[in-house]
Amino acid sequence: MRVAFVGKGGSGKTTLSALFARHLASAGLPVLAVDADINQHLGMTLGLEGETPPPMGGHLADVKEYFRGDNPRISSAAAMVKTTPPGRGSRLVRPCGDDPIHTRFTRATAEGVRLMVTGPFSEADLGVACYHSKIGAVEIYLNHLVDEGGEYVVVDMTAGADAFASGLFTRFDLTVLVAEPTRQGVSVYRQYAEYAADYDVAIAVVGNKVQNPTDLAFLRENVGDDLLIHLDHSPAVRAMEQGRAFTMDDLEPTNRSALETVRSAVDARPKDWGRFGRQTVEFHIRNARAWANLATGEDLVAQIDPEFTFGPADLCTSGATTL
Ligand SMILES: Nc1ncnc2c1ncn2[C@@H]1O[C@H](COP(=O)(O)OP(=O)(O)O)[C@@H](O)[C@H]1O
Ligand SMILES: [Mg+2]
């Protein structure tokens, strides 16, 4: 299952992504956390000791070369753009698999969360339909990922325009919108909800840093039924931010229980590979016509393999063992 955490800067996307991933890992569940935010802080919030993994966004050519495998419709890594869909011959991966992508681009924390990072990017990387865009690495990864219930990919994302410029925002089973009880917090929610509604994207709002009943009432009033749950302002999180030792046992019971509610919401989502496949193709066609054909000098719509079915049936187990 794939979960994105989006929201206004400072709302708590990184904090909640990390706490959610740690919560799952503490239940013994396989979880990959992906840092796709502008500011790369997820590793720290996950308590990763030692080196962060090499940034996927800095090795796009290798990533593309691996995933394209021997798919005859993709002429070269250079002709593979972030929306290029997998087809027969493409390599697919499982979350936390022992394939070259996970081996090279992830590191595990002491609690067992695996971390993958895009690498830092500047505002200049955002919004532009640039096929070198680093966040494109995450989209390529998610397009070639075959995941099932009981295993989790948690993505700490920006709510910025880049996710909408491509198909990235449609790659998740659930998008958690983190909202502080402020007008700005809920205005990002409204924006996101509008886009999401057009694409059948499931969103749940998780309130954050709630301090009193007035805060909660504000969220209820502005978010309505989309409000799944909230986390209170957490002294334990603040202590962690101040550099004090932190384990999940330190998190307040109400906040811990909120994370469990998020998990239930994720688990309740049906895996819809049909929608996933349709949207992959739809965004690829749009991207190809808007800029990618011109940029690559090829008709990239021809990369779509009509015989390919998305989902577990097509998991390709053969392929290179090195990258
Ligand atoms: N529930 C919470 N309780 C206390 N502090 C929080 C909580 N959630 C987030 N914070 C703090 O708010 C700040 C911004 O959070 P962060 O996760 O970095 O936001 P974002 O990733 O959305 O920019 C951080 O200092 C973080 O520790
Ligand atoms: Mg962040």
Side-chain angles (χ1 to χ4, degrees), residues 7-16 19 37 39 41 45 156-157 178 180 208-210 231-235 237-238 240-241 255:
K8 191 175 105 39
S11 59
K13 295 178 292 291
T14 302
T15 305
L16 265 54
L19 290 178
D37 197 359
N39 305 305
H41 292 314
T45 316
D156 175 13
M157 226 162 69
V178 183
E180 286 184 75
N208 192 26
K209 307 188 207 177
V210 168
L231 276 81
D232 295 320
H233 174 84
S234 162
V237 165
R238 175 54 64 87
M240 171 175 74
E241 285 285 308
N255 287 336

